[in-house]
Amino acid sequence: MALLLRFLLLCGIVGFTRSLSITTPEQMIEKAKGETAYLPCKFTLSPEDQGPLDIEWLISPADNQKVDQVIILYSGDKIYDDYYPDLKGRVHFTSNDLKSGDASINVTNLQLSDIGTYQCKVKKAPGVANKKIQLVVLVKPSGTRCYVDGSEEIGSDFKLKCEPKEGSLPLQYEWQKLSDSQKMPTSWLAEMTLSVISVKNASSEYSGTYSCTVRNRVGSDQCLLRLNVVPPSNKAGLIAGAVIGTLLALVLIGLIIFCCHKKRREEKYEKEVHHDIREDVPPPKSRTSTARSYIGSNHSSLGSMSPSNMEGYSKTQYNQVPSEDFERTPQSPTLPPAKFEYPYKTDGITVV
C-alpha cells in the first residue's frame, strides 16, 4: 500500500503537499574575480521522507552553449566533485554533515567562466525540491592611471583623464582636489563624475594634486595626478634654435664629406703622376757601352787627322771623357807608325 501511494505521488495523480522544502530563496549573487562565492542551499525534512538523501548541484553556463552539467554530487553517503573540469578542485560543500539540512557550497577563486545559473536539488523520497541561484562574477577596477592630455600652460586647453586598466561595467568616477584650498574649479563641477575633465583657458590656480577614484559593485581603485600650470614657453625661440641647429649640423656634415672627397682625389692624383713618371724614364745605359762608343768615335776622328794636329787633339779629346761613364783610366790608342819623308836637295833642287 505504501509503495502504491508513493507511486501515485510521484506521478502526480494524487495531490499531496511534499514535506521536503528548501528554505533559501532564489537570489542573485555578485562577487569579484578571484574571490570565493558562497551559494546557500538549506532544506528541511519531515518524518515522511524516509528514502536515501541525494543532493545535486548543477550549472547552466551563461553562454547558453552548453547543457546543464553536474558540478558536485552527494549520494550514498559519498561526495563526487569531479564532474565538471572547469570547477574541479574549486567547489566544496560547506557542511561536514549534509543530513543536518545544509547543502550549501563554496566556489573558490572565481573566474569569469563561472558566471551562470546554479541549481540545488535535494531528494529524499518522497520529497523533492530545488532552488536556483544566479552567480555574477565581476572584475574590480585596477591599474588606474591619471594623466594630462595636452600642454599644461596658462591659457591653454587640456584634459585630465582617469583610465582603469580593467574593471567590469558600470564604472563610477569621482575627482577630488587634495592640495591648496581643496576646492575644485566651478567650471569642472559638471564633470566631476566623469572619466575625463576638459579644462578651458587654464590658469595657475588650477595647479595642485588631484585624485580620481573608480568604483563598481565589487571594488574600487584610485590614482593621483599632479597638475602644474606654468607660463607659456617661447615657442618661436625654440623653433628658431632647432632650425639653426639643424642647418649647422647639415653644414658640418657637408664640410666633412667635401674634405674626405678632396683628400681621396689628391691621393689618386699622386698615384697617377708617380706611375706616369716611371713609364717615361728610359732605362739607364751601360757605362761600358758608353765608353766604347766614345772611344770608337775618337778613332774615326783620328783617322782623318794629319800628324801635325794629332798630338793636341789626342790630349784634348781624351781629357773630355766623363769619369762617371768610363771608370778605367784612358789609354792612348796604338797607332801605326807614320812614314815621313824629309826634304833633300839634289842638284840644287829641293825634293819633298
Side-chain angles (χ1 to χ4, degrees), residues 152-155 204 207 228-233:
E152 301 176 45
E153 296 181 349
I154 296 176
S204 58
S207 299
N228 186 23
V229 182
V230 297
S233 58

Side-chain angles (χ1 to χ4, degrees), residues 176-183 206-210 225-227:
Q176 289 182 339
K177 189 175 183 180
L178 305 179
S179 60
D180 300 332
S181 62
Q182 297 186 353
K183 291 183 179 180
Y206 295 171
S207 299
T209 302
Y210 297 83
L225 170 66
R226 175 63 186 175
L227 179 62

Side-chain angles (χ1 to χ4, degrees), residues 150-165:
S151 176
E152 301 176 45
E153 296 181 349
I154 296 176
S156 63
D157 299 341
F158 54 81
K159 295 180 180 180
L160 307 182
K161 292 189 175 183
C162 179
E163 296 179 352
K165 185 177 181 180

